Each structure stands twice: as structure tokens, then as C-alpha cells.
């Protein structure tokens, strides 16, 4: 049964939903993933990422919808018959087994002979850099080491679908970068589908072929990293992709995709990718702190007072109080004094305009 | 100079603390006093008394016990009741605990099960006398439906004691087992499932090894309870025959023969057997993993 599942072309989620009591945690998840794709599931804490993963793995029954591998419906199968690899958010290592036994468990359950299993375990240990820890119990490992054991345990059986729930959350910056590459490499080697849950946009952008942005249990946008980075479809997604500045204004002019807003008497020009906003309507401009720069006093930027400034290597990043008591986040090449007046602006190409009023 | 003295003072305190001795340690003093007064002293007194026989040498009581079949056979008779009852309770408790672990309304069931414990063995024995007797409901019902033609004898023999120990012992065993079963992180079972383990393998490779230490403790506590059976062995059993358990022998020595020394010796033998079995079980337990049954630090 598992063998048939190994060679699928597409994984399809059809209106998958899950309730906890009256709480609708996952709403109509519909998604099609081709074999070989690396999908990142990106969303804030509590948006239903783990729930979605558990439903796909077969650990939580779905309330609605169906899951398909090609023409085969799998949401009726138990987790053990799906044979997907899963890296749990809380690792779920077997506390009474050594690292080696933990990693070998899946192979043992599949009846792989010892002579074949041993080299595969060794390889998995090397992949996650834990050769020297093989004989330890999980309780004797650090959080980051445990996390890597969980990764090794899931991938050693070479599953056709790998589900990872924030697998790198506990690693230091350097190891995280290394493991990212390692995970990409493992993915390419298995030729499988990887569903990777994270709330770190950097991780999603660097790893995924496509990103699924989840919020309140709903898919808000699906697209390539480039797509999402440059053209988030909604203000929510923009917020998640690092557009920290949201500036409310009234549309004064529009020609094609170029829109000009009036923000407390100052003009701000940006682009819209979505619906035509309409002159006189309310709109919100979203700008990354990186693109929001001091244009020098007397320029045509938004007037603001610096409230905080910090050095982040290369540049200073600050927070300022702008028109209508708005909070603005900006970048500056020089250190500005607290309380100093600045004028902040951004190139029109870096300003995204969305219909509606800011909340 | 004074600094040096201070240094020494602090380092003594630090050294004590590093060994686990600090102000909090004082809180165990009442418990220690209670233990000394109610447990250690009577034990030592009984131990001393058992070597003061009415007649004969120092070991006369022990020699008499192991020479007289009427006495030494009580050991086998007690074990013959206590061990099967404990094992049965334990084996029955495990599947029930696994089922109850998933239930929403555990509290009702728990309350229901705690009742026999709070009622006490004597009340349960009285109930059983009425229920299982030749004129009891069970026999009358069975006869009414023609399943049996004459009453089954379930009282004043081995099975009367057996049943009463199951009834009073099961809730205790079950509640203890349940707490061990629910202490295992459900994510471990899920992880095993995603790795392809079927239900039986998950039980064998994940649950069982993690449960064994807890089950060993449960066995010991349940066994000690069953081993010191007295009221039901008298009320429901055949105290002169197959259910003449060791506590009956001790009781008769003390209150029928007024030989407190022999009674003490029997109590010591009883304690030694329990200690040997509990010690053996705990030693076996030491071979298993005994850390927390959680899946990680997340
Ligand atoms: N067993 C449960 N019973 C009730 N509510 C639950 C249960 N499990 C999860 N939830 C709720 O479902 C929502 C989604 O939970 P989920 O664990 O999927 O979040 P998540 O996106 O993985 O968050 P995080 O990034 O913090 O891990 C949360 O609001 C949570 O409170
Ligand atoms: Mg989660």
C-alpha cells in the first residue's frame, strides 16, 4: 500500500478544514503541489500551520474536505499507512531510545535489514552533524541537537512527502544557515515534496519554490518567493513580508498603476498591483523600513520626529512619529539624535498602495 | 582576619547547600520524627521481641515457624492469592487505562472507581456475602435463567477472597496505571505512527518500555496491599483452610496464643518476603529507562 503512495505526481488538498469544538481553526485549505516542489507554509503563531500539517500527516482527522495523491484519496488512511516523514514542532523523540535507535526506528518498522539500515543511519547522522552523539539519549542533548535528531529520523526512511514543523527554530544563526542548505539538498536528493512550516519569512524566501501564506486558518496568498516579496496581494501578506510601515491617506491622483496619496498634506507616490483605488478613496501605503529613508530636511518626505534609533551593522534603523501620530520605521546612513526632525520618503516603486483604511 | 572567618562561614554553608542541605531541609524534620515514632521504633521493637521467645534459644520462633507446616504453609497460601490477584489487576488495568486515556469524562469514572477504596474492605466483604451467597442475587439470577441448577460456591473458599481482593484492589491499581499511561506524551505515539509503526508495534516499542517502571511501582504497591490481606480472608475465605494467610497466623499467635514474640517473628517473616519481592521487582525496573516520558524540550 505504501509503495503505491511513493510514486505520486501531485498532492492535492481539497477544501480541507478542521474544527476544535466550535472553533474553526482551518478553513477550506485548497492547494495543489507537484512532486519535487518545496512548499513553505508561512504564517503568524496560532494561524493553524501545525494543524494543517497534522491533518496531512494523518495525526488529526479532518472535519471537512479531502486529501489526494493523484487519484487516490488518503485522508481516510491512518498515519502509519501514509508513510510521510514528519518533523514535530516539539521533536517527539523517543526518550528511552538512543539517538541511533531513534533514527533507526522508521527503518526497523519498515523491516529494513540491519546491514542496509546501519549505513543509512550513519549517513543521516552525518547529514545533521551528530555522529559524535549517536549513543546518547535524547534527554542528554541540547534543544538544537534534539531538533536535528528529529530531522534525521524523518528523512532516513526517504519518505515521498516530508512535513517539517519549524525544524530550525532552536538553532543558532550559523547552524541554521547550514541546516537550511542541508534541507534543500535532502529535498533535492529525495525528489520528494517538502511542506515546511515556518514563521520566519527569510527562511521561507530562501528555501521554498512556492510560499503559502496562512492567516487565521485561511490561505491568503500562494506564490513564488519573488512574487510574494515584490507583490504581496493584501495588506496582511505585505505586513508578513516585512512591509512594516502602513501609512493611511486619501487618493489624489491615479494613472495606471501609479497612485498618489495625500498623507496629512504631504504627497506620497506608490504603485498598486491590485484593484483600481479611485480618486478620493481611502488607501494605505506599505513600505519596508529598508526602503524608507531620510530625504533630508526641507525635502518632500513625510515630516517626523525621531523616537528611537539603533545600529544594526552597516546602517542605523529608527522609529519616528509621523503625520497623524503614525509610527514610521526607517533606515538611515547616519546616526540621528532622538527628538530630531526628519523627512522620510521612499521611491514610488517601493511603495505599495492598497485600498481601504489601515487597522 | 574577620574576612577570612566570614569566608569560611560562607563556604561551609555553600558546601552544605551544594549537597542539598539548606533551610528547606528542616521541613522534613516532622516527617522524620513521625517515621521514627510510628514506624522505625515499632519495627525495631518487634524485631527485638521476635528474638525473645517464650522458650528456647534466640531463634526458637523462627525455627518453630519453618518446622510447623501449619505455619510455614501460610507463606505459599498468601503468595498464591496475592500474586495472581496483583497480576490480574495490573493486566486488566492496562487496556482499560489505554481506553480511558482518550475519554472526555474521566472524572465520573474515576469517582466511581474510588468508591470501593473509600468503602473499605470490610464493607465490600459484607456486600459480597449478600451478593455471592447461595441465596444471593448472582446465584438466584443464574438459576432463574437456568444457567446453573444448584448455587455456585463462591464464598468461604479461595475465590471469595480472590474476588474481594480484585474488587478492592483494581481501582487502586487502575488509578495508578492511568496516571502513568497519561504521563506519556501522545506525540510519541504519533511520531511512531508517522514512522510506520502499527498499533501493536507502537505499544511494544514506545508505550511498554516507558510504562514498565511505573507498572513495577504499581505492582509493588498493589502486591503489598494484597499480601497483607486479613478481613476478607476471614470473612469471605476459609481461614482454617486454603485462605489461611500469613496475617491470620500472626493474629492467632498474638491474640489466641498470647505469644507476642512468635507473632513478631511472623510479622518479620512477612515483612522480609514482601521486601524480597518488592526489591526484586525494583531491581528489574532499574534495567529500564526511567526519565521523563516527554518528547522534547519544545
Ligand atoms: N487540541 C486543540 N484544541 C483546541 N484548540 C486547538 C487545539 N490545537 C490547536 N488549537 C488552536 O488552533 C489554532 C492553531 O493552532 P496551531 O497549533 O495549528 O498553530 P500554529 O500555526 O502551528 O502556531 P505556532 O507557530 O505557534 O506553532 C490555535 O489558535 C490553537 O489555539
Ligand atoms: Mg505550530
Amino acid at each position: 500500500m505504501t509503495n503505491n503512495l511513493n510514486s505520486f505526481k501531485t498532492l492535492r488538498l481539497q477544501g480541507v478544514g478542521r474544527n476544535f469544538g466550535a472553533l474553526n481553526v482551518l478553513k477550506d485549505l485548497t492547494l495543489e503541489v507537484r512532486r519535487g516542489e518545496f512548499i513553505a507554509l508561512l504564517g503568524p503563531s496560532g494561524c493553524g500551520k501545525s494543524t494543517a500539517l497534522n491533518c496531512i500527516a494523518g495525526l488529526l482527522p479532518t472535519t471537512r474536505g479531502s486529501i489526494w495523491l493523484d487519484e487516490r484519496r488518503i485522508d481516510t488512511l491512518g498515519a502509519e499507512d501514509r508513510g510521510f516523514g514528519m518533523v514535530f514542532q516539539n521533536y517527539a523523540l523517543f526518550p528511552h531510545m538512543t539517538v541511533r535507535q531513534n533514527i533507526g526506528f522508521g527503518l526497523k518498522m519498515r523491516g529494513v535489514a540491519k546491514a542496509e539500515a546501519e549505513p543509512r543511519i550513519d549517513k543521516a547522522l552525518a547529514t545533521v552533524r551528530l555522529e559524535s552523539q549517536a549513543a546518547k539519549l535524547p534527554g542528554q542533548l541540547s534543544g538544537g541537537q534534539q531538533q536535528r535528531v528529529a530531522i534525521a529520523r524523518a528523512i532516513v526512511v526517504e519518505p515521498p512527502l516530508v512535513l517539517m514543523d519549524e525544524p530550525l527554530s532552536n538553532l543558532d544563526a550559523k547552524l541554521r544557515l547550514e541546516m537550511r542548505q542541508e534541507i534543500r539538498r535532502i529535498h533535492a536528493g529525495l525528489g520528494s515534496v517538502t511542506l515546511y512550516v515556518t514563521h520566519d519569512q527569510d527562511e521561507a524566501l530562501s528555501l521554498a519554490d512556492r510560499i503559502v501564506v496562512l492567516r487565521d486558518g485561511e490561505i491568503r496568498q500562494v506564490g513564488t518567493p519573488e512574487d510574494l516579496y515584490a507583490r504581496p496581494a493584501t495588506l496582511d501578506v505585505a505586513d508578513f513580508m516585512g512591509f512594516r510601515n502602513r501609512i493611511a491617506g486619501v487618493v489624489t491622483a491615479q494613472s495606471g498603476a501609479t497612485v498618489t496619496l495625500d498623507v496629512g498634506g504631504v504627497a506620497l507616490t506608490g504603485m498598486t498591483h491590485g484593484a483600481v483605488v479611485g480618486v478620493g478613496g481611502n488607501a494605505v501605503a506599505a513600505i519596508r523600513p529598508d526602503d524608507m529613508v531620510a530625504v533630508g530636511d526641507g525635502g518632500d518626505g513625510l515630516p517626523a520626529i525621531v523616537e528611537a534609533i539603533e545600529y544594526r551593522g552597516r546602517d542605523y534603523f529608527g522609529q519616528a512619529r509621523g503625520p497623524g501620530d503614525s509610527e514610521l520605521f526607517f533606515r538611515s546612513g547616519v546616526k540621528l539624535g532622538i527628538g530630531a526632525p526628519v523627512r522620510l520618503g521612499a521611491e514610488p516603486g517601493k511603495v505599495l498602495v492598497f485600498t481601504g483604511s489601515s487597522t | 582576619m574577620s574576612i577570612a572567618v566570614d569566608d569560611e562561614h560562607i563556604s561551609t554553608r555553600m558546601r552544605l547547600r551544594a549537597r542539598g542541605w539548606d533551610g528547606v531541609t528542616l521541613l522534613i524534620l516532622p516527617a522524620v520524627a513521625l517515621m521514627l515514632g510510628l514506624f522505625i521504633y515499632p519495627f525495631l521493637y518487634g524485631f527485638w521481641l521476635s528474638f525473645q521467645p517464650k522458650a528456647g534459644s534466640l531463634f526458637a520462633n523462627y525455627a518453630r515457624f519453618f518446622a510447623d507446616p501449619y505455619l510455614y504453609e501460610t507463606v505459599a497460601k498468601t503468595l498464591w492469592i496475592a500474586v495472581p490477584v496483583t497480576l490480574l489487576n495490573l493486566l486488566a488495568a492496562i487496556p482499560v487505562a489505554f481506553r480511558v486515556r482518550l475519554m472526555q469524562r474521566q472524572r465520573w469514572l474515576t469517582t466511581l472507581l474510588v468508591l470501593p477504596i473509600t468503602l473499605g474492605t470490610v464493607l465490600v466483604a459484607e456486600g459480597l456475602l449478600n451478593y455471592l451467597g447461595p441465596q444471593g442475587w448472582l446465584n438466584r439470577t443464574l438459576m432463574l435463567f437456568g444457567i446453573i441448577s444448584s448455587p455456585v460456591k463462591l464464598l468461604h473458599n479461595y475465590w471469595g477472597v480472590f474476588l474481594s481482593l480484585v474488587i478492592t484492589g483494581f481501582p487502586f491499581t487502575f488509578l495508578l496505571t492511568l496516571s502513568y499511561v497519561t504521563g506519556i506524551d501522545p506525540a510519541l505515539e504519533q511520531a511512531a505512527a508517522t514512522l510506520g509503526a502499527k498499533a501493536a508495534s507502537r505499544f511494544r516499542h514506545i508505550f511498554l518500555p516507558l510504562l514498565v517502571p511505573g507498572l513495577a511501582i504499581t505492582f509493588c504497591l498493589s502486591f503489598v496491599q494484597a499480601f497483607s490481606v486479613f478481613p476478607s480472608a476471614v470473612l469471605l475465605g476459609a481461614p482454617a483452610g486454603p485462605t489461611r494467610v500469613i496475617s491470620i497466623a500472626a493474629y492467632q499467635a498474638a491474640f489466641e496464643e498470647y505469644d507476642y514474640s512468635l507473632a513478631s517473628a511472623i510479622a518479620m517473616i512477612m515483612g522480609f518476603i514482601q521486601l524480597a519481592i518488592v526489591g526484586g521487582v525494583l531491581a528489574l525496573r532499574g534495567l529500564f529507562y526511567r526519565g521523563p516520558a516527554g518528547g522534547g524540550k519544545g
Side-chain angles (χ1 to χ4, degrees):
Chain A
M1 179 144 49
T2 328
N3 287 337
N4 299 341
L5 297 183
N6 256 327
S7 54
F8 64 92
K9 287 199 181 61
T10 56
L11 163 74
R12 199 149 49 83
L13 307 184
Q14 192 71 55
V16 172
R18 168 75 200 192
N19 291 14
F20 284 114
L23 196 66
N24 194 349
V25 168
L26 213 57
K27 298 160 197 159
D28 281 354
L29 220 58
T30 299
L31 183 69
E32 198 168 312
V33 183
R34 287 178 305 280
R35 193 180 180 98
E37 268 193 304
F38 196 118
I39 303 286
L41 222 56
L42 182 67
S45 183
C47 69
K49 304 183 296 293
S50 297
T51 308
L53 229 52
N54 283 329
C55 287
I56 297 171
L59 300 172
L60 260 185
T62 55
T63 314
R64 295 171 294 280
S66 51
I67 306 175
W68 304 76
L69 285 183
D70 296 335
E71 292 316 310
R72 202 180 151 143
R73 186 169 176 174
I74 59 156
D75 57 300
T76 46
L77 295 181
E80 64 270 27
D81 295 322
R82 297 189 200 186
F84 301 158
M86 171 115 174
V87 180
F88 288 77
Q89 188 166 12
N90 62 357
Y91 322 150
L93 300 180
F94 308 129
H96 57 298
M97 296 184 194
T98 63
V99 168
R100 195 174 187 84
Q101 289 169 328
N102 261 283
I103 296 175
F105 187 78
L107 296 172
K108 190 163 147 188
M109 288 303 114
R110 282 166 168 71
V112 176
K114 209 168 164 137
E116 190 199 331
E118 292 298 312
R120 279 171 75 174
I121 299 172
D122 286 330
K123 197 169 143 236
L125 276 167
T127 307
V128 296
R129 328 257 141 90
L130 284 176
E131 298 97 323
S132 58
Q133 314 287 334
K136 283 190 179 170
L137 290 175
Q140 300 165 323
L141 299 179
S142 76
Q145 291 169 333
Q146 294 187 4
Q147 206 155 32
R148 283 179 282 155
V149 176
I151 295 173
R153 187 179 65 177
I155 53 131
V156 74
V157 294
E158 302 183 351
L161 176 60
V162 185
L163 305 162
M164 298 196 177
D165 202 344
E166 305 190 20
L168 305 184
S169 60
N170 248 326
L171 306 185
D172 63 65
K174 181 168 167 289
L175 194 55
R176 189 181 308 206
L177 287 177
E178 284 176 25
M179 290 308 298
R180 253 192 225 172
Q181 290 188 342
E182 220 35 88
I183 286 178
R184 239 351 275 211
R185 199 169 311 152
I186 293 163
H187 169 80
L190 293 180
S192 56
V193 167
T194 303
L195 279 182
Y196 186 100
V197 163
T198 177
H199 51 227
D200 179 348
Q201 54 137 326
D202 269 351
E203 222 166 81
L205 289 172
S206 65
L207 277 172
D209 298 320
R210 279 195 299 158
I211 299 176
V212 177
V213 180
L214 213 61
R215 190 166 180 132
D216 298 332
E218 268 177 314
I219 293 185
R220 289 298 164 90
Q221 192 174 356
V222 182
T224 62
E226 293 83 358
D227 246 4
L228 260 87
Y229 192 79
R231 288 183 295 281
T234 66
L235 206 51
D236 278 341
V237 179
D239 189 37
F240 217 78
M241 297 310 298
F243 289 82
R244 250 184 120 186
N245 291 297
R246 302 157 154 232
I247 305 156
V250 178
V251 179
T252 54
Q254 172 164 17
S255 70
T258 309
V259 183
T260 306
L261 300 185
D262 172 75
V263 181
V266 182
L268 182 66
T269 305
M271 315 293 287
T272 178
H273 300 294
V276 178
V277 181
V279 174
N282 285 326
V284 178
I287 309 169
R288 288 200 170 85
D290 246 340
D291 300 324
M292 188 81 149
V293 289
V295 292
D297 209 24
D300 54 359
L302 302 166
I305 304 291
V306 178
E307 290 192 333
I309 192 137
E310 63 182 41
Y311 185 56
R312 293 213 194 128
R314 218 158 68 96
D315 277 321
Y316 292 89
F317 279 80
Q319 180 237 314
R321 192 63 59 184
D325 211 30
S326 59
E327 251 191 339
L328 300 177
F329 302 92
F330 65 96
R331 176 168 63 91
S332 164
V334 294
K335 185 168 186 173
L336 296 167
I338 307 258
V342 279
R343 282 189 173 260
L344 301 172
E347 280 175 45
K350 307 283 190 183
V351 179
L352 287 182
V353 179
F354 296 95
T355 327
S357 45
S358 159
T359 34
Chain B
M1 281 311 252
S2 71
I3 291 171
V5 171
D6 250 15
D7 258 4
E8 200 155 286
H9 180 68
I10 288 171
S11 71
T12 314
R13 226 173 66 187
M14 297 283 264
R15 245 179 299 144
L16 279 176
R17 177 164 303 173
R19 297 207 182 129
W21 292 90
D22 57 13
V24 181
T25 319
L26 293 177
L27 293 178
I28 68 163
L29 283 181
V32 171
L34 213 65
M35 281 280 282
L36 284 175
L38 293 179
F39 184 72
I40 308 284
Y41 170 72
F43 173 79
L44 290 178
Y45 180 72
F47 188 68
W48 173 80
L49 197 62
S50 71
F51 292 105
Q52 305 291 319
K54 275 183 168 171
S57 70
L58 208 56
F59 295 99
N61 284 329
Y62 293 93
R64 183 178 156 200
F65 184 90
F66 289 107
D68 183 354
Y70 195 56
L71 287 176
Y72 70 70
E73 275 175 3
T74 60
V75 173
K77 280 177 186 163
T78 316
L79 286 176
W80 184 236
I81 294 174
V83 173
V85 162
T86 309
L87 285 177
L88 178 77
N89 277 341
L90 200 57
L91 291 182
I94 295 169
V96 182
F98 266 85
R99 182 67 195 83
V100 169
R101 160 183 81 115
L102 308 170
M103 278 175 33
Q104 302 288 323
R105 303 192 189 284
Q106 280 186 19
R107 198 126 55 92
W108 288 102
L109 188 86
T110 317
T111 314
L112 201 72
L113 281 166
V114 168
L115 269 177
I117 299 181
T118 53
L119 290 180
T121 39
V122 177
L123 203 69
V124 171
E126 292 291 347
L128 283 180
L129 279 177
N130 287 324
Y131 182 69
L132 299 178
Q135 284 303 309
W137 294 352
L138 186 72
N139 273 319
R140 272 195 285 174
T141 311
L142 287 179
M143 290 209 287
L144 188 72
F145 288 103
I147 298 169
I148 52 174
S149 51
S150 62
V152 204
K153 187 165 161 58
L154 287 171
L155 290 177
H156 306 299
N157 60 11
Y158 178 82
W159 295 108
V161 185
F162 191 94
L163 276 174
S164 105
L165 282 181
V166 166
I167 288 166
T168 50
F170 179 78
F172 177 80
T173 314
F174 168 77
L175 291 175
L176 221 56
T177 309
L178 181 65
S179 77
Y180 284 112
V181 168
T182 48
I184 294 178
D185 185 353
L188 297 181
E189 186 189 9
Q190 299 186 334
T194 62
L195 290 166
K198 307 253 180 249
S201 303
R202 298 200 289 267
F203 181 77
R204 199 165 91 79
H205 295 290
I206 309 298
F207 281 117
L208 198 59
L210 289 173
L211 271 180
V212 163
L215 293 182
I217 298 279
T218 311
F219 176 89
C220 290
L221 293 176
S222 307
F223 169 77
V224 166
Q225 269 195 346
F227 192 79
S228 51
V229 52
F230 183 74
S232 54
V234 174
L235 293 170
L236 298 170
T243 75
R244 190 178 136 81
V245 292
I246 191 162
S247 53
I248 293 180
Y251 168 83
Q252 287 176 341
F255 300 110
E256 287 172 13
E257 296 177 32
Y258 297 106
D259 187 345
Y260 291 107
S261 180
L262 177 63
S264 293
I266 296 175
M268 287 299 136
I269 290 166
M270 195 173 157
F272 179 79
I273 294 166
Q274 292 186 14
L275 202 67
I277 289 186
V278 167
V281 171
L282 290 185
L284 285 178
R285 171 178 181 264
L287 302 177
F288 286 83
Y289 168 83
R290 273 170 307 158
K297 296 183 179 174

